[in-house]
Amino acid sequence: LHTGTYLQINVLKGQHIVDERCWIVKSHHPTRTPKVLQFHSDKALCVVRNPLDMIVSLATLCNTLSHSAVLDFDFAKDYPEWWNWWVKHQTDRICKYYDILFADCIEDKDGKKLNPIHFSRFEDLCDEPIAELTSMMKFTLGMDDLSGTNMERRIGAIRDMGEKATD
């Protein structure tokens, strides 16, 4: 039984597949939960979000089980003491997150070069998905140009879907 069942039901069919069947593993690394599936990687794609938006989104998720719910109150105005604690707590967690990510992916351990990381901003991925996907796949494939590749064709298919690509 995996905690990803909810995500599997809601479109993310590959949630918790970490073996040779998949090429990219979606994870919240370095967030650690008990019994999380371990996996090896050679490169990391890291999608980052503006912390000011992320902190509000996570507060909404924790209180409604939805990132996109519209609340009838304002955390900062209606619950200032809780909001002050929440922002400080999340800021500490964000700092620890990147300390662990960099230690796991960048720092040299026993003379072995670890995972290179490609960062994409969530906001850019939403606003310019084709450019960001192209950048991510160039990094993943180790190519300067995707012209004539299957990946170029796949990204073109996403582009051609327009709004339907994110439904």
Side-chain angles (χ1 to χ4, degrees):
L1 180 65
H2 298 294
T3 58
T5 304
Y6 169 79
L7 295 171
Q8 289 174 347
I9 292 169
N10 288 288
V11 184
L12 297 174
K13 304 294 185 205
Q15 187 73 21
H16 287 293
I17 296 175
V18 297
D19 59 23
E20 68 281 348
R21 292 176 289 168
C22 66
W23 188 46
I24 296 175
V25 175
K26 180 222 174 249
S27 135
H28 285 120
H29 177 79
T31 304
R32 297 206 184 353
T33 55
K35 311 256 184 203
V36 70
L37 297 173
Q38 299 293 311
F39 63 92
H40 168 78
S41 67
D42 296 313
K43 293 182 179 182
L45 297 170
C46 186
V47 179
V48 297
R49 189 169 184 193
N50 180 328
L52 300 176
D53 294 332
M54 185 280 302
I55 290 170
V56 173
S57 177
L58 185 56
T60 302
L61 176 67
C62 290
N63 285 279
T64 67
L65 300 179
S66 169
H67 282 292
S68 58
V70 177
L71 302 172
D72 59 356
F73 61 88
D74 181 288
F75 291 115
K77 290 179 186 173
D78 297 329
Y79 302 98
E81 190 173 318
W82 180 85
W83 185 246
N84 187 49
W85 167 82
W86 180 256
V87 170
K88 288 179 181 179
H89 177 71
Q90 292 307 313
T91 302
D92 288 344
R93 289 187 60 191
I94 291 167
C95 290
K96 288 177 185 171
Y97 176 94
Y98 285 102
D99 286 345
I100 295 168
L101 179 68
F102 292 158
D104 284 357
C105 292
I106 295 174
E107 291 177 3
D108 192 42
K109 294 179 183 173
D110 302 323
K112 180 181 177 190
K113 184 177 178 182
L114 299 176
N115 293 4
I117 305 173
H118 177 80
F119 287 91
S120 292
R121 289 179 352 123
F122 174 79
E123 295 81 2
D124 294 339
L125 194 53
C126 292
D127 293 341
E128 297 290 335
I130 301 307
E132 283 303 309
L133 286 173
T134 299
S135 178
M136 293 166 82
M137 292 303 105
K138 283 180 180 180
F139 167 79
T140 303
L141 294 168
M143 300 175 76
D144 293 327
D145 184 11
L146 298 178
S147 297
T149 65
N150 189 43
M151 187 55 69
E152 179 190 41
R153 184 185 62 76
R154 297 293 301 265
I155 292 172
I158 292 169
R159 180 198 59 238
D160 295 345
M161 290 176 70
E163 297 281 324
K164 290 182 180 180
T166 57
D167 286 346

